[in-house]
């Protein structure tokens, strides 16, 4: 879904450079293993409970990010330049 893609891409831009190798592996598994993108969206928005196999600190981070407590506009995917930036 576009909403899920948008949320995950913005989450990735904000968090990938700070994640440990273990967290990166969990994130990779989360975005690649479920057969239905809607599932990730429902888990991130807490519309459905996250299955134990995908429950992790990374899923908790994604849920928190999805709440958008700062009410940031999230209308488009980020440019991909962040993938080539040096870690901060």
């Amino acid at each position: 879904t576009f909403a899920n893609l948008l949320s995950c891409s913005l989450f990735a831009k904000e968090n990938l450079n700070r994640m440990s190798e273990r967290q990166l592996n969990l994130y990779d598994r989360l975005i690649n293993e479920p057969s239905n993108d809607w599932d990730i969206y429902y888990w991130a928005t807490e519309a459905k409970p996250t299955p134990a196999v995908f429950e992790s600190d990374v899923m908790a981070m994604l849920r928190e990010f999805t709440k958008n407590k700062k009410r940031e506009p999230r209308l488009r995917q980020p440019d991909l330049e962040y993938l080539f930036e040096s870690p901060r």
Side-chain angles (χ1 to χ4, degrees):
T1 68
F2 180 73
N4 186 48
L5 180 61
L6 179 62
S7 181
C8 285
S9 63
L10 292 169
F11 173 83
K13 180 179 182 187
E14 188 170 305
N15 292 284
L16 288 184
N17 64 350
R18 297 182 295 187
M19 293 171 118
S20 68
E21 185 174 344
R22 179 190 65 80
Q23 289 174 317
L24 291 170
N25 288 331
L26 288 168
Y27 183 69
D28 181 67
R29 184 171 170 229
L30 176 65
I31 63 172
N32 288 305
E33 281 189 21
S35 61
N36 185 343
D37 284 347
W38 279 106
D39 289 336
I40 301 168
Y41 176 79
Y42 291 141
W43 304 334
T45 59
E46 299 182 88
K48 291 184 179 179
T50 304
V53 69
F54 293 111
E55 188 56 62
S56 68
D57 57 331
V58 173
M59 188 67 230
M61 290 167 60
L62 181 58
R63 277 195 300 269
E64 192 62 28
F65 179 82
T66 302
K67 291 177 184 176
N68 195 11
K69 291 182 179 178
K70 295 179 186 176
R71 300 191 183 271
E72 300 167 320
R74 296 179 178 171
L75 304 173
R76 65 187 278 285
Q77 287 186 273
D79 295 329
L80 298 180
E81 284 82 19
Y82 75 92
L83 294 172
F84 306 102
E85 294 172 358
S86 303
R88 295 177 202 157

